[in-house]
Amino acid sequence: MSIPMWNQTNREESKPSHLNVVERRFTFRTNEGWVTPTQFVDGTIHGATTVAYGTHAVVPTAELLVTLPLDPSVTGVTSSDFADIYTNSGERPRRVVAGQTASGETAGNNYTPFFTCPFDGDSATAGGPEGTGVSHGSWKDTLPTGTYLNRREVSSLQVPYGATSYIKVLANDPNFTNNLTLSLVGSVAGLTGYAGTDLLDTDNVPLDVFKAFFGATGYGTNGIAVIVVGNGLTTGDYGLTAQVFDGYATGNSEFTITVA
């Protein structure tokens, strides 16, 4: 599939619309377009799918879902926000290789992980895919109580006063075999972030909320988190910084949650 100028950002809302919640979770951007690890191409995980190059290298592979032939810009300027993809003699699938954002890894081919939601600079009134903020109700009636998702499973950054609400947090890494550590910088009484195995404790995050955000629990907790907005939090704006660390480099997202 090739669509010129298709959503040339790392935002969750920019990912291909035909993907389900699990497939979208693992899909990321490269300088060719939207890519997903090959173990997810049929919607299931088959383990660490690899392909051998020569006699020594065995690397994880990825499938190109949507090409962006004019990417990263109509002027041909390469953007370091997107990973380079290696191909050799038209081979498929493809693999991620070294690029401008190399930092700290022995082979020099590490890309900084990044948050797709909440996206850096987002609030209820600013940022967002249209520049008008991320504020919305639930797009379908069957979503769990306390979740306010749009059609791309992105949480509203404005939540109602007096109710417990849940904010979806998702990070991607083009080096998709890295283990990601997510954290919130600072603390705000009434706002609690859960990541890792804490996400699977239903006393922290109800199971139906987890499934609405990320799909089945069997796909693990790498790169995901949930912020719980307590029902006692007073009205106002609350600025937060999320961090994601891949063992070599750290990505950040600064965003604002509004209780109104």
Side-chain angles (χ1 to χ4, degrees), residues 74-95:
V74 294
T75 61
V77 177
T78 300
S79 169
S80 61
D81 291 339
F82 307 132
D84 290 330
I85 281 290
Y86 171 81
T87 59
N88 183 25
S89 301
E91 82 219 357
R92 298 294 185 271
R94 303 162 180 217
R95 67 185 179 100

Side-chain angles (χ1 to χ4, degrees), residues 12 15 21 24-26 114-118 168-172 182 213-214 222-225:
E12 192 71 8
K15 294 180 180 181
V21 62
R24 191 175 297 129
R25 170 182 163 186
F26 293 101
F114 55 88
F115 287 94
T116 66
C117 69
K168 174 182 177 177
V169 180
L170 175 60
N172 280 142
L182 275 64
F213 285 172
F214 310 115
N222 195 40
I224 59 176

Side-chain angles (χ1 to χ4, degrees), residues 185-218:
V185 178
S187 61
V188 176
L191 290 174
T192 307
Y194 294 105
T197 56
D198 289 339
L199 284 172
L200 303 179
D201 186 338
T202 55
D203 288 336
N204 298 331
V205 179
L207 181 59
D208 56 351
V209 172
F210 183 100
K211 289 182 176 179
F213 285 172
F214 310 115
T217 57

Side-chain angles (χ1 to χ4, degrees), residues 8-257:
Q8 296 185 45
T9 76
N10 283 330
R11 300 189 67 90
E12 192 71 8
E13 297 95 331
S14 294
K15 294 180 180 181
S17 59
H18 67 280
L19 301 177
N20 64 37
V21 62
V22 173
E23 293 166 335
R24 191 175 297 129
R25 170 182 163 186
F26 293 101
T27 297
F28 59 90
R29 279 297 309 280
T30 73
N31 60 0
E32 286 192 332
W34 288 104
V35 170
T36 196
T38 51
Q39 57 262 47
F40 304 109
V41 294
D42 63 356
T44 59
I45 293 179
H46 299 291
T49 303
T50 58
V51 59
Y53 291 82
T55 58
H56 302 290
V58 178
V59 297
T61 58
E63 178 79 8
L64 182 64
L65 298 178
V66 177
T67 63
L68 295 171
L70 301 183
D71 183 63
S73 76
V74 294
T75 61
V77 177
T78 300
S79 169
S80 61
D81 291 339
F82 307 132
D84 290 330
I85 281 290
Y86 171 81
T87 59
N88 183 25
S89 301
E91 82 219 357
R92 298 294 185 271
R94 303 162 180 217
R95 67 185 179 100
V96 178
V97 294
Q100 300 92 329
T101 55
S103 174
E105 201 168 58
T106 302
N109 64 344
N110 187 56
Y111 285 86
T112 302
F114 55 88
F115 287 94
T116 66
C117 69
F119 204 68
D120 187 44
D122 277 358
S123 71
T125 57
E130 306 298 330
T132 56
V134 184
S135 179
H136 52 75
S138 296
W139 69 274
K140 59 182 178 180
D141 295 336
T142 56
L143 287 172
T145 300
T147 66
Y148 303 91
L149 296 176
N150 62 19
R151 289 181 178 270
R152 299 302 182 88
E153 289 90 28
V154 175
S155 295
S156 174
L157 292 180
Q158 179 168 310
V159 297
Y161 168 73
T164 299
S165 301
Y166 303 90
I167 307 292
K168 174 182 177 177
V169 180
L170 175 60
N172 280 142
D173 190 344
N175 304 80
F176 52 85
T177 60
N178 283 337
N179 290 319
L180 304 181
T181 302
L182 275 64
S183 59
L184 289 178
V185 178
S187 61
V188 176
L191 290 174
T192 307
Y194 294 105
T197 56
D198 289 339
L199 284 172
L200 303 179
D201 186 338
T202 55
D203 288 336
N204 298 331
V205 179
L207 181 59
D208 56 351
V209 172
F210 183 100
K211 289 182 176 179
F213 285 172
F214 310 115
T217 57
Y219 293 96
T221 59
N222 195 40
I224 59 176
V226 172
I227 298 171
V228 180
V229 183
N231 58 16
L233 195 62
T234 57
T235 58
D237 296 330
Y238 298 88
L240 297 174
T241 299
Q243 291 188 334
V244 53
F245 179 61
D246 68 359
Y248 310 98
T250 300
N252 297 282
S253 177
E254 297 182 5
F255 56 94
T256 300
I257 297 173

